[in-house]
Amino acid sequence: MTTQPPLLEATDLRKTYPLPGGGSHTAADAVTFTLTPGGALGIVGESGSGKTTVARMLVGLVRPDHGTINVDGTPRPAKPPRGKAPRLARARQIQMVFQDPYVSLDPRLTAEQCLRSALRLHGREESTAPALLDQVGLGAREATARPRHLSGGQRQRLAIARALAVDPRVLVLDEAVAALDVSIQAQILRLLDEIRRDTGVALVFVSHDLAVVQHVTDEVLVMRRGKVVERGPTHRVLSEPTDPYTRLLLASVPGRGWDPADAVAARAALT
Ligand SMILES: Nc1ncnc2c1ncn2[C@@H]1O[C@H](COP(=O)(O)OP(=O)(O)OP(=O)(O)O)[C@@H](O)[C@H]1O
């Protein structure tokens, strides 16, 4: 059996932020993982566990204090390279979709103009914009709408289409469905699954929501206080967690027979 070489390899990532009153806070420490081409990795943990910091290090919005990120075996430079062509080439490796696409979409551009501009910037055929809109389930009406006239789910579809316009190897989604109604979440999760199947793009899916991660990822990392406390195939980690913190996260998911007191007790038992 041959194993696929990793597409993305993050090794020993660490990020420490200075605190306003002096001192520092280590948001991520010794974070290591790999992602195969077309794979889907979940990064889960509660608020403040360091997930966003890891996602931002991957795309280059935060510079790691330590560690390396390789794409296709080549180190990704910590600083954005000089010159337009290398910068665009770096952007094409990894694209990010944020929780609130409203802030990252240009309010002046219609959905189609937004995609055309991304395609043009990356030297791709602008006439593929309608096909991209179609791929994310946006039609002719949405094509001519500006972000403020789109629903939250439609905006998130547009943000995904804009990221795909670049033809990235990896799509990093940071709480990408957290702000959406549950039924819209399901639509976006299904869309991501289809896109992954159709384009072969690999996903890093950052979420506090285990139920969401369960639907879109093959592997999962559980983070607590900046460190990875458990990792493995998603179905295994969610059905047979070995770390007490993972058990706590699972006990905290409301569902049939859920008792908030159990979640509170599980937290109290955790040091
Ligand atoms: N720019 C920053 N300066 C100082 N501290 C920061 C900064 N960004 C994040 N932190 C701190 O680092 C820790 C991890 O934050 P991070 O946003 O990575 O966690 P998270 O798991 O993504 O949480 P959330 O889901 O709430 O976004 C938190 O304690 C946070 O307060």
Side-chain angles (χ1 to χ4, degrees):
M1 196 178 96
T2 55
T3 48
Q4 263 185 316
L7 163 62
L8 176 67
E9 208 169 1
T11 310
D12 213 9
L13 296 180
R14 184 173 69 228
K15 179 68 194 175
T16 298
Y17 293 111
L19 292 174
S24 61
H25 174 75
T26 301
D29 191 19
V31 177
T32 293
F33 60 85
T34 59
L35 181 64
T36 51
L41 173 80
I43 303 181
V44 299
E46 289 174 305
S47 184
S49 57
K51 311 178 297 292
T52 293
T53 299
V54 172
R56 288 178 164 257
M57 285 195 278
L58 293 179
V59 282
L61 292 171
V62 163
R63 200 182 303 175
D65 300 326
H66 184 266
T68 54
I69 297 165
N70 287 0
V71 177
D72 282 329
T74 306
R76 206 168 142 76
K79 281 195 219 164
R82 279 170 188 271
K84 189 176 168 192
R87 268 210 322 278
L88 292 178
R90 184 175 187 260
R92 273 197 295 280
Q93 289 180 330
I94 307 180
Q95 280 283 303
M96 185 151 173
V97 175
F98 298 89
Q99 174 170 348
D100 182 2
Y102 205 50
V103 292
S104 58
L105 293 170
D106 187 334
R108 296 164 303 178
L109 300 184
T110 66
E112 182 166 343
Q113 287 168 341
C114 164
L115 295 192
R116 282 182 177 271
S117 128
L119 289 161
R120 191 166 51 241
L121 180 67
H122 286 269
R124 301 190 71 212
E125 188 47 66
E126 274 187 58
S127 59
T128 58
L132 257 175
L133 286 169
D134 186 55
Q135 189 178 14
V136 298
L138 295 177
R141 193 199 72 76
E142 291 85 17
T144 58
R146 293 192 167 72
R148 68 175 180 281
H149 294 131
L150 295 173
S151 70
Q154 287 169 338
R155 277 201 290 271
Q156 202 53 295
R157 286 173 191 269
L158 177 58
I160 292 169
R162 195 186 53 177
L164 292 177
V166 167
D167 196 19
R169 306 292 312 279
V170 181
L171 201 55
V172 176
L173 300 116
D174 187 6
E175 298 285 6
V177 297
L180 304 174
D181 289 349
V182 180
S183 64
I184 310 291
Q185 278 190 357
Q187 290 173 8
I188 301 287
L189 294 178
R190 204 176 57 189
L191 172 68
L192 288 170
D193 224 31
E194 281 168 15
I195 286 171
R196 183 181 156 207
R197 216 179 37 234
D198 296 347
T199 67
V201 70
L203 305 179
V204 176
F205 201 91
V206 171
S207 177
H208 68 282
D209 189 337
L210 294 166
V212 159
V213 163
Q214 182 180 0
H215 292 294
V216 273
T217 67
D218 311 321
E219 304 268 327
V220 69
L221 300 183
V222 182
M223 287 190 68
R224 181 184 186 219
R225 295 181 183 163
K227 296 208 183 242
V228 176
V229 294
E230 183 158 5
R231 67 176 70 225
T234 307
H235 64 87
R236 199 280 296 153
V237 171
L238 298 191
S239 60
E240 298 161 47
T242 56
D243 188 87
Y245 179 68
T246 315
R247 285 195 216 114
L248 165 72
L249 289 181
L250 286 163
S252 307
V253 178
R256 193 191 288 267
W258 181 70
D259 183 350
D262 290 345
V264 174
R267 168 159 297 285
L270 202 67
T271 49

